[in-house]
């Protein structure tokens, strides 16, 4: 085959489908290729591909809010329907294989993926889309990962309304939970779901190591208890989230990393799906055009699409922003986001969405620094070089 994609999550499925549509003989390998996608995926509505069918969007929140110290209106936010998204991304010409990759051996003309059950698959180009596991494309270790963690539950809309206020979705609500003592700040994240329901999650944006799920669960219960609701009464599954924000970008390799495995996760938000959906057709075209020059050329062409110099520069800036955020004292985190959400919409979009806009990212960071209070500026400036101020009361936006 021409391309073997390992990992049948949204990113891997998107790339496999794009490769098949580009005329490449494509395989998709996963231990359970048809298992449901359990995570809830969302994105800014204007980031989604134009060819995405309407029924692949489960719900759209037109009144999206962020709350740091004050509420701020944000652009429309979309929640995806996982099964319809999968149906749209898959292609009938993909050869689907159930199995687990163990290692890969390369030759000048192809690559052989050896499976744990003794079988092997041969392809010109191998893609690792196994998320943070990075089964075949692991990068160098950098110590403990900065992780985003969350615990959530889907509740009837009436239960969520006291928390939502006039919003349909809460991107971040940094007002503290009633049971928020120690362990760092968390925020409330809420999304509309089909059936007049709302997914409500208590989220730790970034912490090294990640905030324990038990702490998040306790805080989420306290938010509902404060408005007279006991979520333990609901017979609803709990959604648990834990993933690294700071995987290193992949180096030169015959294995093409894609999706979260390629460090596409936004260091400040944890988002990666919209970027993967946008990149998949471009990567597929690059592979198809370069493959006549050999597998190594095709893999290099794919890497150039995913990580051009502009994207690497923006990613480095965002990673520095993540480290600054990790270094803020608890009282400074809501103040930081209050300052951020006061920025003009084009500055916010550049930092949150445009992964190749170096000029826009620098301008957004400069605008935030310029509009910050003197004490927040001191935290930001020292954070850039890895130093910290003590957490003193009175920090203001």
């Amino acid at each position: 085959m021409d391309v073997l994609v390992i990992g049948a999550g949204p990113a891997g499925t998107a790339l496999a489908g794009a490769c098949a549509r580009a005329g490449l003989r494509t395989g998709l390998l996963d231990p359970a290729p048809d298992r449901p996608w359990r995570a809830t995926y969302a994105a800014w509505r204007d980031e989604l591909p134009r060819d995405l069918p309407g029924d692949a969007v489960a719900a759209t929140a037109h009144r999206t809010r962020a709350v740091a110290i004050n509420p701020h209106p944000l652009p429309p936010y979309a929640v995806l329907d996982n099964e319809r998204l999968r149906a749209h991304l898959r292609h009938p010409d993909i050869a689907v294989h159930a199995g687990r990759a163990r290692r890969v051996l390369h030759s000048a003309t192809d690559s052989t993926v050896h499976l744990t059950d003794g079988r092997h698959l041969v392809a010109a180009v191998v893609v690792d889309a196994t998320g943070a596991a990075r089964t075949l494309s692991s990068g160098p270790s950098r110590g403990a990962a900065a992780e985003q963690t969350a615990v959530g539950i889907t509740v009837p809309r009436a239960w969520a309304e006291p928390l939502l206020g006039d919003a349909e979705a809460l991107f971040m609500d940094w007002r503290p939970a009633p049971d928020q003592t120690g362990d760092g700040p968390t925020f409330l994240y809420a999304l509309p779901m089909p059936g007049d329901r709302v997914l409500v999650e208590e989220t730790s944006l970034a912490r090294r190591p990640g905030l324990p799920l038990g702490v998040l669960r306790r805080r989420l219960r306290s938010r509902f208890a404060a408005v007279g609701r006991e979520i333990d009464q609901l017979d609803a599954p709990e959604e648990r989230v834990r993933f690294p924000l700071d995987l290193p970008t992949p180096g030169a390799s015959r294995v093409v990393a894609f999706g979260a495995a390629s460090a596409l996760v936004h260091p400040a938000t944890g988002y990666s799906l919209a970027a993967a959906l946008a990149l998949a057709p471009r990567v597929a075209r690059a592979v198809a055009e370069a493959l006549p020059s050999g597998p190594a050329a095709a893999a290099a062409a794919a890497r150039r699409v995913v990580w051009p110099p502009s994207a690497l520069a923006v990613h480095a800036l965002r990673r520095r922003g993540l480290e600054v955020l990790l270094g803020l004292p608890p009282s400074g985190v809501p103040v930081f986001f209050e300052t951020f959400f006061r920025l003009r919409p084009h500055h916010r979009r550049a930092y949150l969405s445009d992964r190749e806009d170096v000029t826009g990212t620098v301008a957004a960071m400069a605008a935030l620094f310029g509009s910050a209070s003197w004490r927040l500026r001191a935290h930001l400036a020292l954070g850039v070089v890895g130093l910290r101020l003590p957490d003193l009361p009175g920090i203001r936006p």
Side-chain angles (χ1 to χ4, degrees):
M1 70 186 83
D2 297 318
V3 178
L4 175 63
V5 178
I6 302 171
T13 302
L15 184 54
C19 288
R21 292 180 183 89
L24 297 166
R25 294 169 298 158
T26 305
L28 182 63
L29 172 68
D30 190 275
D34 295 316
R35 63 185 165 190
W37 296 342
R38 298 297 186 190
T40 301
Y41 298 105
W44 303 111
R45 191 66 177 86
D46 63 359
E47 282 189 338
L48 296 175
R50 293 185 178 181
D51 67 345
L52 191 72
D55 65 2
V57 176
T60 298
H62 295 281
R63 295 192 309 278
T64 303
R65 301 281 184 269
V67 183
I69 296 170
N70 300 296
H72 303 271
L74 297 178
Y77 198 62
V79 181
L80 296 171
D81 183 301
N82 289 356
E83 289 309 306
R84 288 171 177 164
L85 176 64
R86 189 210 299 260
H88 167 68
L89 296 176
R90 273 202 174 177
H91 189 279
D93 292 341
I94 297 173
V96 179
H97 304 273
R100 191 181 301 275
R102 181 168 59 89
R103 63 174 179 156
V104 59
L105 298 176
H106 304 291
S107 73
T109 57
D110 55 38
S111 298
T112 302
V113 176
H114 292 263
L115 279 57
T116 56
D117 62 7
R119 291 179 296 149
H120 65 271
L121 297 169
V122 179
V125 177
V126 174
V127 176
D128 185 345
T130 59
R134 290 179 149 189
T135 302
L136 297 180
S137 63
S138 58
S141 174
R142 294 189 181 180
E147 293 180 309
Q148 183 170 128
T149 54
V151 169
I153 188 171
T154 300
V155 302
R157 175 168 294 277
W159 280 46
E161 282 175 350
L163 303 175
L164 288 170
D166 69 343
E168 293 175 290
L170 290 172
F171 178 63
M172 293 178 176
D173 185 346
W174 286 100
R175 290 173 293 187
D179 188 7
Q180 186 154 313
T181 55
D183 295 312
T186 56
F187 66 88
L188 189 69
Y189 176 67
L191 297 176
M193 302 294 285
D196 205 32
R197 299 175 302 152
V198 177
L199 171 65
V200 182
E201 290 187 347
E202 192 72 24
T203 305
S204 170
L205 180 62
R207 190 175 183 270
R208 186 181 286 126
L211 193 65
L213 300 186
V215 173
L216 296 163
R217 187 176 297 114
R218 186 177 68 246
R219 292 184 183 181
L220 183 62
R221 285 176 179 149
S222 75
R223 288 191 192 269
F224 278 99
V227 296
R229 302 289 190 182
E230 297 295 334
I231 58 175
D232 290 343
Q233 298 174 3
L234 294 174
D235 183 19
E238 183 178 76
E239 180 158 330
R240 304 180 186 101
V241 176
R242 180 184 292 276
F243 58 83
L245 295 165
D246 57 353
L247 288 177
T249 53
S253 170
R254 281 280 296 277
V255 175
V256 177
F258 191 68
S262 186
L264 280 187
V265 172
H266 193 307
T269 66
Y271 290 2
S272 65
L273 179 58
L277 296 180
L279 285 169
R282 295 171 54 196
V283 172
R285 286 194 298 270
V287 171
E289 291 169 2
L291 194 55
S293 298
R303 287 196 304 274
R304 287 193 296 271
V305 170
V306 179
W307 287 112
S310 57
L312 287 169
V314 168
H315 188 71
L317 290 168
R318 290 173 173 172
R319 281 290 303 273
R320 178 43 50 192
L322 170 64
E323 293 302 322
V324 170
L325 184 62
L326 288 168
L328 285 175
S331 67
V333 174
V335 174
F336 173 90
F337 282 101
E338 179 68 20
T339 308
F340 178 81
F341 287 117
R342 285 181 180 177
L343 296 179
R344 293 180 177 179
H346 69 277
H347 286 319
R348 298 197 309 253
R349 178 179 172 81
Y351 197 81
L352 294 176
S353 300
D354 297 330
R355 67 184 299 267
E356 297 182 33
D357 185 359
V358 180
T359 301
T361 301
V362 171
M365 296 174 82
L368 187 144
F369 187 82
S371 60
S373 68
W374 70 268
R375 185 159 184 84
L376 180 56
R377 285 185 192 180
H379 279 290
L380 298 177
L382 289 175
V384 168
V385 295
L387 300 176
R388 300 187 185 187
L389 281 176
D391 186 13
L392 299 177
I395 185 169
R396 298 178 184 223

